[in-house]
Amino acid sequence: MPDDKSRKRSAGVEATPSSPAATVRRPDMAWNPGSSVHASLAGEIGLRIVRGDYPPGTILPNEAKWSETFNVSRSAVREAIKMLMAKSLLASRPKIGSWVEPKERWNLLDRDVLAWYATSPDREVFLRTVQEFRHIIEPEASAFAAMRRSDEQMAEISQACREMGAATNLQERTRADTRFHLAILRASGNDLLVPLGVLIESALDHLFVFVTREHSDQRRAQALHEAIEKNIRLQRPAAARSAVHKLLANTDEVIERSRR
């Protein structure tokens, strides 16, 4: 719960014309296609929270202010706030309002929160976080896939690998790259890894877009993926694990070079 200092800070936020909340939505402001008004509003507010416009402890503008800012109904605002509370970005109490929760309480495995996190200014932290997750999960998942994969699962992994090599643009390659790694998680035979992989799909997409743009040696990157595919296909778990470690080390180098 915010303290008095946070309340004073938030009061300044609401009253300052240059604050994020004071920018009235233009009629042509982009909303997510196919989304309801409250879902799009939740996305706009959630993005602002994750990128740091509203630090933890900040009390957000009230319903009337949000309604005026975005030109939406108060009921849409209420539903948007409920969505953000369900994602643990916000907490709320009568007579106080809604405030931003500490980052450690955010549900970073939520698809929307991950997507907002991926587009936040602190890209380096996001990339490191995704890479650490991959180091923890992917080598062993690939070893299990080499032992447990079915013919159908192997076909899916091989097809994604081929599509990476045949891709003619960034979008095609990164989508095939994501499918490749998610297919390996499915082939691992561990029921917990499948939903986890789906949850971080957006994070992997953002990471692979960055790596593909930064990494000029696509032949090497393709060869590293093909080594993983080959060792899973030949059912060599130790070799598959080693091939993943090499790919991750290569990605680590790309991220490190981007900092210079």
Side-chain angles (χ1 to χ4, degrees):
M1 180 175 172
D3 54 19
D4 290 338
K5 185 177 179 181
S6 296
R7 294 179 191 180
K8 290 177 182 178
R9 179 179 60 201
S10 65
V13 169
E14 288 191 76
T16 305
S18 60
S19 71
T23 303
V24 178
R25 180 173 73 88
R26 303 185 308 274
D28 62 344
M29 180 177 176
W31 293 87
N32 294 330
S35 295
S36 62
V37 172
H38 70 265
S40 293
L41 179 58
E44 181 66 24
I45 298 173
L47 176 59
R48 294 181 181 197
I49 291 171
V50 173
R51 75 186 180 194
D53 292 353
Y54 299 114
T58 302
I59 297 179
L60 295 183
N62 59 27
E63 273 184 22
K65 183 64 177 178
W66 281 130
S67 179
E68 176 187 352
T69 297
F70 290 103
N71 191 27
V72 296
S73 68
R74 291 196 181 190
S75 63
V77 174
R78 283 193 293 273
E79 291 303 313
I81 297 300
K82 287 179 182 177
M83 287 183 66
L84 295 173
M85 289 175 64
K87 300 175 188 297
S88 300
L89 266 67
L90 297 179
S92 182
R93 184 171 294 180
K95 297 184 180 180
I96 295 178
S98 301
W99 65 87
V100 180
E101 288 277 68
K103 184 177 179 179
E104 58 266 23
R105 296 184 185 174
W106 298 353
N107 181 8
L108 289 177
L109 287 180
D110 180 273
R111 281 175 174 270
D112 294 331
V113 180
L114 263 179
W116 303 330
Y117 188 21
T119 57
S120 65
D122 201 349
R123 182 183 63 180
E124 183 183 328
V125 171
F126 168 75
L127 294 175
R128 279 205 315 268
T129 301
V130 177
Q131 268 301 96
E132 287 174 0
F133 171 87
R134 298 182 67 202
H135 276 284
I136 293 167
I137 298 296
E138 290 192 24
E140 293 307 315
S142 297
F144 279 124
M147 293 185 286
R148 299 172 175 173
R149 55 84 176 162
S150 66
D151 290 343
E152 291 78 10
Q153 289 168 335
M154 190 65 241
E156 185 180 12
I157 294 169
S158 299
Q159 180 178 351
C161 191
R162 287 194 300 271
E163 289 177 357
M164 284 182 63
T168 58
N169 58 56
L170 176 66
Q171 184 178 21
E172 286 180 2
R173 182 169 180 84
T174 54
R175 289 304 298 159
D177 200 348
T178 301
R179 287 197 303 273
F180 176 81
H181 291 280
L182 294 181
I184 291 174
L185 292 184
R186 285 191 289 272
S188 72
N190 187 297
D191 291 342
L192 292 180
L193 289 183
V194 177
L196 190 58
V198 172
L199 283 172
I200 68 160
E201 182 175 357
S202 175
L204 291 175
D205 272 348
H206 282 87
L207 174 64
F208 296 153
V209 165
F210 170 80
V211 171
T212 303
R213 281 176 176 162
E214 294 289 327
H215 189 24
S216 59
D217 190 355
Q218 292 304 321
R219 289 184 181 179
R220 172 167 168 73
Q222 182 65 26
L224 291 168
H225 284 81
E226 289 174 356
I228 298 171
E229 186 274 344
K230 176 181 179 180
N231 286 301
I232 293 176
R233 176 164 40 85
L234 296 179
Q235 298 186 297
R236 299 190 297 207
R241 183 188 296 113
S242 177
V244 173
H245 279 303
K246 290 178 181 178
L247 174 65
L248 293 175
N250 185 69
T251 304
D252 290 340
E253 290 174 9
V254 174
I255 295 172
E256 182 62 28
R257 284 202 304 269
S258 73
R259 298 173 58 189
R260 298 169 188 167

